Amino acid sequence: MLLAIETSCDETALALFDLKRFLGGELLRAEIVSSQVALHEPFGGVVPELAAREHLENLPFLIKKIFQDVPGAEEELSAVAVTRGPGLNGCLLVGLSYAKAFAYARGIPLLALNHLEAHLFAAELEENLRELNLPALTLLVSGGHTELVLIEEFRKYRLVARTRDDAVGEAFDKSATLLGLPYPGGPALAECAKAGRPGELTFPQGMKSEPTAFSFSGVKTAVSREVTRLGASLEDDQVRADVARAVEQALVKALVSKTAKALKKCAPKTLALSGGVAANAVLREELAALAKKSRVEFRVAERRWCTDNAAMLAVLAARIIEREPKRYLDWRGKAGDLGPDARTGTGALPRWPIEKIGTAP
Ligand code: KG4
Ligand code: ZN
């Protein structure tokens, strides 16, 4: 059994995987995602210190609960996986310290892994854990990251494009706030946009001709200007829906057109979509259509596994263990050690870019 712990932002998430059954396919035995949305809602965004304290309060209770859900699992536990970064430092520290102590007290190995890498593996949770056909081009879109990553081989990543300013999730969230929509903004804006009429408005696409960079801060500024221009008429639901739709169109278009260019350049076998914004229905549809047109396989996880969760971390850990079981499962460290791959120190890594995985961060 493998226990995965994810606390990088505002979800306290756990998953229990059955490593013995891994090759047989059925693997996920239990899963908990405890969202802090209600806690942060009055502030209109995640408050890092509150989030960290909430993880600390939740973790012991949720771990107890997940073992109650799967009788016998606790006795059979053979490894712990935890998110080491990137994310909010205080939040990461809570999960990491907990996992270190938990693994050491039981004398079992620990795998301290990268959150972005885990997002990439969410795409394998679909289709009964079928591995991605490599090379795969992945569009990784979340509240903190927007990048196109080429997975050349297992755990070998090449950065193709990255945002120069805001992440696309941030652009969704901030535009939603400007439009007076409820927290969390991304899903609220997508919901509101459904009633929007096409072609009423257009917003700019940042860095249109630059293949290696995204830019989303211009959309936010343009939305802010539009909101001022519209004034009181924004209270009309139809007007607001039209703006929301135009924002969603602009953001999705920027992502899809850059992905199309990267597909031509990289010629991968698979196109995958991951990260919280991958829950967006319009983006899923348009990227699936692009993959079809480009004759590459398209992979994306169910929506619940696109936003933060621990099941994706468990798949990553299981794949690592599967390749070198002795190296990982026989590893025994001292108190506070971070597992066989921890080359640099024992702390959390709030900044840990994906292309640095496997080398010193
Ligand atoms: O991966 P994630 O859960 O957390 C991070 O690691 O950042 O991503 C959260 C982001 C937020 O910006 C949220 O607004 C956005 O994903 N998001 C969406 C949708 N669902 C979540 N954005 C657009 N449409 C959605 N349906
Ligand atoms: Zn995430």
Side-chain angles (χ1 to χ4, degrees), residues 192 197 230-243:
C192 176
R197 293 166 296 187
L230 287 167
S233 55
L234 197 63
E235 276 156 35
D236 182 314
D237 285 348
Q238 186 61 58
V239 174
R240 186 187 291 179
D242 291 346
V243 182

Side-chain angles (χ1 to χ4, degrees), residues 60-142:
F61 157 77
L62 294 176
I63 286 181
K64 196 166 160 202
K65 172 156 189 331
I66 204 165
F67 284 130
Q68 277 166 359
D69 290 349
V70 187
E74 188 165 9
E75 294 70 38
E76 282 188 39
L77 202 67
S78 45
V80 178
V82 66
T83 306
R84 187 181 184 189
L88 298 169
N89 196 34
C91 296
L92 292 166
L93 276 175
V94 171
L96 194 63
S97 309
Y98 201 96
K100 277 189 208 172
F102 190 90
Y104 182 67
R106 283 163 178 74
I108 55 175
L110 181 67
L111 286 86
L113 302 169
N114 184 294
H115 178 71
L116 303 174
E117 188 178 24
H119 268 303
L120 301 187
F121 277 79
E124 294 192 348
L125 276 159
E126 248 217 350
E127 293 188 41
N128 210 11
L129 298 166
R130 186 165 66 79
E131 284 193 68
L132 293 183
N133 243 330
L134 301 184
L137 180 71
T138 313
L139 177 65
L140 172 60
V141 278
S142 74

Side-chain angles (χ1 to χ4, degrees), residues 11 115 119 141-144 169-170 172-173 184-187 190 275-277 279-281 303 306-308:
E11 328 280 345
H115 178 71
H119 268 303
V141 278
S142 74
E170 237 176 312
F172 266 105
D173 294 337
V277 182
N280 184 278
R303 292 161 85 145
C306 291
T307 48
D308 287 348

